[in-house]
Amino acid sequence: MAGSEDEDISPLCGKPYFDFILGQSNLEPKYLMFLPAKIWPELAPGEVPVVLTCRGKKWDMFCSGDNQRRFMQGWKIFVNDNNLKIGDGLVFELLECSRAKMTFKVQILRGDFPAELITEPEDGTAENPIVL
């Protein structure tokens, strides 16, 4: 399955984008997703419908606020459907932007360590410590 996730990573197409590393507030129980200020000038003002596209699927939600832009009503579903965890990186590329709708292509970069880098528990002992 890891190969299928890698196939969804693609170069950016030159549109405005932002990247984000998920923290606790982005996940349960709060499910808050505030957009960074650097992308605000590119966004439509007010409350606007948003479509996140990722891995051939779509999620509908809203982006609201003029002072603090955030995703609402759908962010929790996106998080759960994609099994997102603390430390996962997301790249949001703004493909379409109008007062009627904003569309972001989202790429997920898992924050997990590859299996090759994880040592077996018996490898770390007092005589043979694991050095990070």
Side-chain angles (χ1 to χ4, degrees):
M1 283 291 168
S4 65
E5 286 186 9
D6 292 342
E7 293 170 10
D8 295 319
I9 305 301
S10 61
L12 298 174
C13 61
K15 304 270 186 176
Y17 75 94
F18 68 94
D19 54 77
F20 194 85
I21 304 295
L22 293 174
Q24 182 61 51
S25 66
N26 306 119
L27 308 172
E28 66 178 308
K30 295 180 182 180
Y31 292 100
L32 297 174
M33 181 57 194
F34 290 95
L35 282 62
K38 75 175 197 172
I39 196 72
W40 292 359
E42 307 295 335
L43 304 178
E47 187 169 310
V48 179
V50 171
V51 176
L52 299 185
T53 63
C54 183
R55 300 182 176 143
K57 297 180 182 175
K58 295 181 180 186
W59 290 264
D60 295 314
M61 58 193 67
F62 286 89
C63 182
S64 72
D66 289 318
N67 296 328
Q68 288 188 324
R69 305 302 303 262
R70 69 183 183 117
F71 291 144
M72 302 178 1
Q73 301 173 357
W75 174 249
K76 178 179 178 178
I77 296 168
F78 178 80
V79 166
N80 291 331
D81 285 355
N82 289 288
N83 195 30
L84 297 178
K85 308 270 187 239
I86 293 173
D88 286 347
L90 303 176
V91 179
F92 295 82
E93 190 168 18
L94 183 61
L95 301 180
E96 176 185 345
C97 183
S98 70
R99 289 182 179 260
K101 178 175 83 170
M102 293 189 292
T103 302
F104 286 91
K105 175 183 176 186
V106 183
Q107 298 187 59
I108 299 171
L109 308 167
R110 298 290 178 191
D112 299 332
F113 280 107
E116 304 85 49
L117 298 179
I118 298 175
T119 60
E120 295 296 321
E122 62 268 17
D123 289 348
T125 63
E127 295 79 33
N128 185 22
I130 298 172
V131 179
L132 299 177

Short mmCIF file of all heavy atoms in Angstrom, two decimals, residues 1 5 12 18 20 26-27 29 44 51 61 67 69 75 80 90 95 101 111 119 122 125-126 129:
data_model
loop_
_atom_site.label_atom_id
_atom_site.label_comp_id
_atom_site.label_asym_id
_atom_site.label_seq_id
_atom_site.Cartn_x
_atom_site.Cartn_y
_atom_site.Cartn_z
N MET A 1 0.80 -1.20 0.00
CA MET A 1 0.00 0.00 0.00
C MET A 1 0.85 1.27 0.00
O MET A 1 0.42 2.29 -0.49
CB MET A 1 -0.92 0.02 1.23
CG MET A 1 -2.10 -0.88 1.09
SD MET A 1 -3.18 -0.18 -0.17
CE MET A 1 -4.26 -1.51 -0.45
N GLU A 5 0.46 5.30 -2.09
CA GLU A 5 0.51 6.65 -1.55
C GLU A 5 1.60 7.46 -2.25
O GLU A 5 1.44 8.63 -2.51
CB GLU A 5 0.76 6.62 -0.04
CG GLU A 5 -0.45 6.19 0.74
CD GLU A 5 -0.25 6.29 2.23
OE1 GLU A 5 0.77 6.86 2.68
OE2 GLU A 5 -1.12 5.82 2.96
N LEU A 12 4.51 20.50 -7.88
CA LEU A 12 3.55 21.60 -7.86
C LEU A 12 3.45 22.19 -9.26
O LEU A 12 4.39 22.13 -10.04
CB LEU A 12 4.00 22.66 -6.85
CG LEU A 12 4.09 22.18 -5.40
CD1 LEU A 12 4.69 23.27 -4.52
CD2 LEU A 12 2.74 21.76 -4.87
N PHE A 18 0.73 26.37 0.20
CA PHE A 18 1.35 26.42 1.52
C PHE A 18 1.52 25.00 2.02
O PHE A 18 0.83 24.09 1.59
CB PHE A 18 0.55 27.29 2.51
CG PHE A 18 -0.79 26.74 2.91
CD1 PHE A 18 -0.93 25.97 4.06
CD2 PHE A 18 -1.92 27.01 2.15
CE1 PHE A 18 -2.18 25.48 4.43
CE2 PHE A 18 -3.16 26.54 2.52
CZ PHE A 18 -3.30 25.77 3.67
N PHE A 20 2.17 22.52 5.61
CA PHE A 20 1.75 22.55 7.00
C PHE A 20 2.08 21.21 7.65
O PHE A 20 1.82 20.16 7.05
CB PHE A 20 0.24 22.79 7.05
CG PHE A 20 -0.27 23.18 8.40
CD1 PHE A 20 -0.23 24.49 8.81
CD2 PHE A 20 -0.78 22.22 9.25
CE1 PHE A 20 -0.70 24.85 10.07
CE2 PHE A 20 -1.25 22.57 10.51
CZ PHE A 20 -1.20 23.89 10.92
N ASN A 26 -4.91 20.32 15.30
CA ASN A 26 -5.50 20.03 13.99
C ASN A 26 -6.27 18.72 13.99
O ASN A 26 -7.02 18.45 13.05
CB ASN A 26 -4.41 19.93 12.92
CG ASN A 26 -3.52 21.15 12.88
OD1 ASN A 26 -2.33 21.04 13.10
ND2 ASN A 26 -4.09 22.32 12.64
N LEU A 27 -6.06 17.93 15.02
CA LEU A 27 -6.68 16.61 15.11
C LEU A 27 -7.65 16.58 16.28
O LEU A 27 -7.98 17.61 16.84
CB LEU A 27 -5.58 15.56 15.26
CG LEU A 27 -4.47 15.64 14.19
CD1 LEU A 27 -3.34 14.70 14.53
CD2 LEU A 27 -5.02 15.37 12.81
N PRO A 29 -9.33 16.36 19.86
CA PRO A 29 -10.77 16.57 19.76
C PRO A 29 -11.16 17.89 19.11
O PRO A 29 -12.31 18.11 18.80
CB PRO A 29 -11.21 16.56 21.22
CG PRO A 29 -10.07 17.18 21.96
CD PRO A 29 -8.83 16.72 21.20
N ALA A 44 -10.23 34.12 -1.56
CA ALA A 44 -11.44 34.95 -1.69
C ALA A 44 -11.89 35.39 -0.29
O ALA A 44 -11.75 34.64 0.66
CB ALA A 44 -12.54 34.14 -2.39
N VAL A 51 -13.26 22.97 -1.78
CA VAL A 51 -13.13 21.56 -2.11
C VAL A 51 -11.67 21.18 -1.96
O VAL A 51 -10.80 21.83 -2.55
CB VAL A 51 -13.60 21.27 -3.55
CG1 VAL A 51 -13.37 19.80 -3.91
CG2 VAL A 51 -15.06 21.64 -3.73
N MET A 61 -16.05 21.60 2.25
CA MET A 61 -16.04 22.32 3.52
C MET A 61 -16.13 23.81 3.22
O MET A 61 -16.41 24.19 2.09
CB MET A 61 -14.78 21.98 4.33
CG MET A 61 -13.47 22.28 3.65
SD MET A 61 -12.06 21.52 4.48
CE MET A 61 -12.37 19.79 4.19
N ASN A 67 -10.07 37.71 9.55
CA ASN A 67 -8.91 37.94 10.41
C ASN A 67 -8.13 36.66 10.65
O ASN A 67 -6.91 36.69 10.77
CB ASN A 67 -9.34 38.53 11.75
CG ASN A 67 -9.97 39.89 11.58
OD1 ASN A 67 -9.59 40.63 10.69
ND2 ASN A 67 -10.92 40.22 12.42
N ARG A 69 -8.25 32.94 8.88
CA ARG A 69 -8.87 32.06 7.90
C ARG A 69 -8.73 30.62 8.38
O ARG A 69 -7.65 30.20 8.80
CB ARG A 69 -8.19 32.22 6.54
CG ARG A 69 -8.17 33.66 6.01
CD ARG A 69 -9.54 34.28 5.88
NE ARG A 69 -10.44 33.54 5.04
CZ ARG A 69 -10.69 33.80 3.76
NH1 ARG A 69 -10.10 34.80 3.17
NH2 ARG A 69 -11.54 33.08 3.08
N TRP A 75 -13.44 19.57 7.72
CA TRP A 75 -12.04 19.29 8.03
C TRP A 75 -11.91 17.99 8.83
O TRP A 75 -11.04 17.16 8.56
CB TRP A 75 -11.41 20.46 8.79
CG TRP A 75 -10.03 20.18 9.26
CD1 TRP A 75 -9.62 20.02 10.54
CD2 TRP A 75 -8.86 19.98 8.45
NE1 TRP A 75 -8.26 19.74 10.58
CE2 TRP A 75 -7.78 19.71 9.31
CE3 TRP A 75 -8.62 20.00 7.07
CZ2 TRP A 75 -6.49 19.47 8.85
CZ3 TRP A 75 -7.34 19.76 6.61
CH2 TRP A 75 -6.29 19.51 7.49
N ASN A 80 -10.09 12.32 9.32
CA ASN A 80 -10.40 10.92 9.63
C ASN A 80 -10.33 10.02 8.40
O ASN A 80 -9.81 8.91 8.46
CB ASN A 80 -11.76 10.81 10.31
CG ASN A 80 -11.74 11.42 11.70
OD1 ASN A 80 -10.72 11.43 12.38
ND2 ASN A 80 -12.87 11.94 12.13
N LEU A 90 1.34 18.30 5.09
CA LEU A 90 0.36 18.50 4.03
C LEU A 90 0.83 19.65 3.15
O LEU A 90 1.35 20.66 3.65
CB LEU A 90 -1.02 18.84 4.61
CG LEU A 90 -1.63 17.84 5.58
CD1 LEU A 90 -2.95 18.38 6.12
CD2 LEU A 90 -1.85 16.50 4.92
N LEU A 95 -5.79 25.58 -6.59
CA LEU A 95 -6.01 25.39 -8.02
C LEU A 95 -7.05 26.35 -8.59
O LEU A 95 -6.97 26.74 -9.75
CB LEU A 95 -6.44 23.95 -8.30
CG LEU A 95 -5.47 22.86 -7.87
CD1 LEU A 95 -6.04 21.49 -8.21
CD2 LEU A 95 -4.11 23.05 -8.50
N LYS A 101 -16.16 29.45 -5.13
CA LYS A 101 -15.53 28.21 -4.70
C LYS A 101 -14.01 28.34 -4.76
O LYS A 101 -13.46 28.97 -5.65
CB LYS A 101 -15.97 27.06 -5.59
CG LYS A 101 -15.34 25.72 -5.26
CD LYS A 101 -15.91 24.58 -6.08
CE LYS A 101 -15.25 24.51 -7.42
NZ LYS A 101 -15.59 23.28 -8.17
N GLY A 111 4.48 11.41 8.33
CA GLY A 111 5.56 11.71 9.26
C GLY A 111 6.15 10.48 9.90
O GLY A 111 7.02 10.58 10.76
N THR A 119 14.93 0.56 14.54
CA THR A 119 15.72 -0.56 15.03
C THR A 119 14.85 -1.47 15.88
O THR A 119 13.86 -1.04 16.47
CB THR A 119 16.91 -0.07 15.88
OG1 THR A 119 16.40 0.66 16.98
CG2 THR A 119 17.84 0.79 15.05
N GLU A 122 15.72 -5.13 20.70
CA GLU A 122 16.89 -5.79 21.26
C GLU A 122 18.20 -5.13 20.78
O GLU A 122 19.25 -5.40 21.32
CB GLU A 122 16.89 -7.29 20.96
CG GLU A 122 16.93 -7.63 19.48
CD GLU A 122 15.57 -7.80 18.88
OE1 GLU A 122 14.56 -7.36 19.47
OE2 GLU A 122 15.47 -8.36 17.78
N THR A 125 20.73 -1.59 23.93
CA THR A 125 20.98 -2.09 25.28
C THR A 125 21.90 -1.11 25.97
O THR A 125 22.42 -0.17 25.36
CB THR A 125 21.66 -3.48 25.24
OG1 THR A 125 22.94 -3.34 24.61
CG2 THR A 125 20.80 -4.49 24.47
N ALA A 126 22.16 -1.33 27.24
CA ALA A 126 23.08 -0.48 27.98
C ALA A 126 24.47 -0.52 27.37
O ALA A 126 25.19 0.48 27.34
CB ALA A 126 23.13 -0.88 29.45
N PRO A 129 23.91 1.28 23.09
CA PRO A 129 22.79 2.23 23.05
C PRO A 129 22.44 2.66 21.62
O PRO A 129 23.28 2.60 20.72
CB PRO A 129 23.29 3.42 23.86
CG PRO A 129 24.78 3.36 23.73
CD PRO A 129 25.11 1.89 23.62
#
